[in-house]
Every structure is written in C-alpha cells, then in structure tokens.
Amino acid sequence: IGIGLEGGVFVARNGTVWLCNWGALVDRDGVVVVAGGARIPLPAEISEQLKTGKELAEVIDEYADRRDVRSNEGAIGILTNGAIDRTTMYTHIVHMLKGQYEHQKKGWRNQ
C-alpha cells in the first residue's frame, strides 16, 4: 500500500482562497481511494500574498511571526488557534483512506 498526503490552497469561483488537504491510497492490485479533508477560507492578507506567487509556508511564517510553521502546527494550527493541528488534519485523511480501502476490499462498491 502506498499513501500520499498533500496540503495546499485552491481558489473558489468567487475568488476566495481556501486552505485544504487531501490524500490518496493505492495498492498493488490497482485499488485507488482518495479523500479530501479540512477546508477553511484564508484571511485576505494571506490570500493576496499567495496571489502574487509567494508560497503558503513563507506567508504563514510571516503572518504568525514564527519560523517553520509547516513542520509544526501548520497553517491550520495557526488559523484555528491550535484547535486543529496538521497532524490531526492528516490523521483524519488517513482514517478516511483506510476506511474506504477496507470497505472496497470487502467487495462492496459505491455506486
């Protein structure tokens, strides 16, 4: 089994920039499952900097007046005042991937 996890941002049709995360799981038999997780809108002062081409890690460090936020609580930790950290955010995705995978391996398929 291989699992990939990623976090990032996306721009909604209305122009709002959102923080998000997702994951994928694949096995040797070609079974693939995917899941998306937390999504929260970014403050305008962060969004505007991202739109100029800056990376989220650089912007969130400056915003939080911290160093290496991405390796600690992550942007989600800063923006939720510690209520959710990046480990919790990704753990949620892994549980969804595992659960879907186990469900499919039982032979049941979602229509």
Side-chain angles (χ1 to χ4, degrees), residues 28-97:
R28 290 181 184 179
D29 298 326
V31 173
V32 177
V33 293
V34 296
R39 289 186 204 117
I40 62 171
L42 293 173
E45 61 194 278
I46 293 175
S47 299
E48 293 307 316
Q49 290 186 55
L50 296 177
K51 290 176 183 177
T52 70
K54 290 186 177 180
E55 291 191 23
L56 179 59
E58 173 188 359
V59 175
I60 200 72
D61 281 357
E62 183 179 310
Y63 178 84
D65 195 25
R66 306 260 317 269
R67 293 187 71 207
D68 202 23
V69 169
R70 79 160 113 197
S71 297
N72 293 292
E73 67 269 65
I76 193 76
I78 297 298
L79 298 172
T80 63
N81 198 37
I84 302 289
D85 64 18
R86 67 188 303 272
T87 300
T88 303
M89 185 172 75
Y90 286 111
T91 299
H92 188 229
I93 293 289
V94 171
H95 285 294
M96 287 191 290
L97 294 171

Side-chain angles (χ1 to χ4, degrees), residues 2-40:
I3 296 176
L5 302 170
E6 188 60 65
V9 299
F10 73 93
V11 181
R13 289 183 184 172
N14 69 0
T16 302
V17 180
W18 291 76
L19 180 69
C20 61
N21 73 323
W22 59 92
L25 178 152
V26 62
D27 74 6
R28 290 181 184 179
D29 298 326
V31 173
V32 177
V33 293
V34 296
R39 289 186 204 117
I40 62 171

